[in-house]
Amino acid sequence: MERPLELGNVTRVQEFVLLGLSTRLGIRIVLFAIFLALYLLTLLENMLIIYLICSHIELHKPMYFFLGNLSCLEMCYVSVTVPSLLVGLGSSPCHVPFAACMTQLFLFIALISTKCTLLASMAYDRYVAICRPLHYPLLMRPQVCLGLALSSWLGGLLVSVAKTSCIASLSYCGPNVLNHFFCDVSPLLNLSCTNVALTELVDFISAIVIFCGSLLVALASYVAIGRAVLHMPSAVTRCRALSTCASHLVVVGIFYGVVLFMYSRPRLISSTDLNKVLSVIYTVVTPMCSPVIYCLRNREVQAVLHKTLHSPRVSSATTQFARS
């Protein structure tokens, strides 16, 4: 669509209006309670995972190092998107200043890009553990794990700087209504009144580098894992190998499937109710389910959690509370 380039006397948008999920008061109250509970549960789950990993030497392994990074990321991730969702449900519509909208967009892009590369690093970790177990201590030594994690975080920040700078430099002359519950790329591009070709090019290149690159790494890792599992001699060994990566494969499938549908062709995706529902899945539901899928069903984590809950300090505190 042609965008006017003559904008000399046009008033620039100073704030955006987020329509949120629903305009019906009764539904908003119910949704507010649900999403507030999910938000607090997500924070509690991920804080518990981080505490267990940091406080127990049994979990000082590469797999749990990446899980700790992922839990930290998920806490930041939901804290970027869910508060605006809750504000919109509490006082629909939600008015967001331009600077605050760009800040939220920057953090969202940085975190989702970091999550892509972290998931790829975790898939590589599972590949080394199953396909090259004798070289695992060398290939996944602490320096390598730290380098992969830092690369994920720094790469996400760099991608976000490039994309957010391009989007913030566009002109927004009105309307200023976003049919979404947070400031996202596609709705903002649809509101711009200037040519967005360069911004779309940056968006496309970053998607190829971060999203498609990390997806290819994950797919290649699991193809290699599948081939290795098929050549294992016994069914017990095959089941044990698959159990170590099944949870990661489930989360990868859900996350990449939804994001691929949402952002593979962002210019052709309108801000519909389906778009918002899918956004809820990868911004709220997936971060809440990830700790359960990854850790709380893991025997090592369950043993550590049991030990923590039955430690002398916890037992004495519980006894004192009961007596009082």
Side-chain angles (χ1 to χ4, degrees):
M1 184 175 66
E2 292 291 331
R3 311 267 180 150
L5 299 178
E6 301 283 337
L7 301 169
N9 297 321
V10 179
T11 303
R12 300 295 191 272
V13 168
Q14 301 298 318
E15 68 173 14
F16 293 101
V17 179
L18 303 178
L19 294 183
L21 294 181
S22 176
T23 56
R24 299 179 183 177
L25 180 59
I27 296 178
R28 290 210 317 266
I29 295 174
V30 174
L31 290 177
F32 181 88
I34 292 174
F35 284 113
L36 178 60
L38 293 178
Y39 176 56
L40 296 177
L41 180 60
T42 302
L43 294 179
L44 179 62
E45 288 176 341
N46 285 286
M47 284 191 292
L48 176 61
I49 295 302
I50 293 172
Y51 168 75
L52 293 177
I53 293 173
C54 292
S55 60
H56 292 82
I57 196 170
E58 305 96 309
L59 301 183
H60 291 181
K61 301 176 182 179
M63 179 175 70
Y64 299 111
F65 170 77
F66 289 118
L67 286 175
N69 275 267
L70 186 64
S71 292
C72 180
L73 182 144
E74 299 284 30
M75 291 173 60
C76 300
Y77 191 54
V78 295
S79 296
V80 167
T81 56
V82 176
S84 63
L85 186 155
L86 294 175
V87 171
L89 291 172
S91 58
S92 182
C94 177
H95 295 262
V96 182
F98 182 85
C101 185
M102 291 301 113
T103 301
Q104 184 183 48
L105 179 68
F106 171 80
L107 294 173
F108 172 73
I109 294 174
L111 292 170
I112 198 171
S113 301
T114 302
K115 184 170 183 176
C116 288
T117 47
L118 267 180
L119 290 175
S121 299
M122 296 170 72
Y124 172 73
D125 170 71
R126 292 298 84 205
Y127 157 75
V128 177
I130 295 174
C131 299
R132 305 186 66 182
L134 297 179
H135 298 89
Y136 186 78
L138 175 65
L139 295 177
M140 298 305 296
R141 59 191 184 274
Q143 296 88 338
V144 175
C145 295
L146 183 60
L148 289 173
L150 286 176
S151 299
S152 298
W153 288 97
L154 292 176
L157 288 174
L158 291 175
V159 169
S160 186
V161 166
K163 292 181 68 171
T164 308
S165 298
C166 291
I167 294 173
S169 65
L170 298 173
S171 294
Y172 299 92
C173 323
N176 65 338
V177 178
L178 295 174
N179 187 15
H180 214 317
F181 58 87
F182 70 97
C183 296
D184 202 358
V185 175
S186 183
L188 285 170
L189 290 181
N190 290 333
L191 289 185
S192 174
C193 55
T194 53
N195 193 295
V196 296
L198 177 60
T199 304
E200 289 181 331
L201 178 61
V202 173
D203 187 50
F204 176 76
I205 293 174
S206 63
I208 292 295
V209 173
I210 295 292
F211 181 78
C212 295
S214 60
L215 179 58
L216 287 176
V217 170
L219 288 176
S221 299
Y222 279 109
V223 168
I225 289 172
R227 293 177 60 184
V229 169
L230 290 176
H231 288 86
M232 289 179 177
S234 67
V236 175
T237 308
R238 289 194 292 270
C239 290
R240 186 179 301 170
L242 288 175
S243 66
T244 63
C245 56
S247 57
H248 180 259
L249 186 58
V250 170
V251 173
V252 166
I254 295 173
F255 175 76
Y256 279 107
V258 174
V259 175
L260 183 63
F261 181 83
M262 292 275 299
Y263 294 106
S264 57
R265 302 176 70 184
R267 288 288 294 118
L268 300 180
I269 296 177
S270 59
S271 297
T272 61
D273 289 337
L274 175 62
N275 194 355
K276 289 189 283 188
V277 170
L278 293 172
S279 296
V280 167
I281 293 176
Y282 74 85
T283 59
V284 181
V285 178
T286 303
M288 182 199 66
C289 294
S290 291
V292 178
I293 297 173
Y294 274 125
C295 291
L296 299 182
R297 295 180 61 86
N298 180 288
R299 290 182 180 179
E300 288 183 303
V301 176
Q302 286 179 349
V304 166
L305 181 60
H306 184 271
K307 183 192 299 184
T308 301
L309 294 177
H310 291 82
S311 64
R313 286 181 298 178
V314 175
S315 300
S316 61
T318 305
T319 304
Q320 291 176 2
F321 177 78
R323 289 176 178 175
S324 62

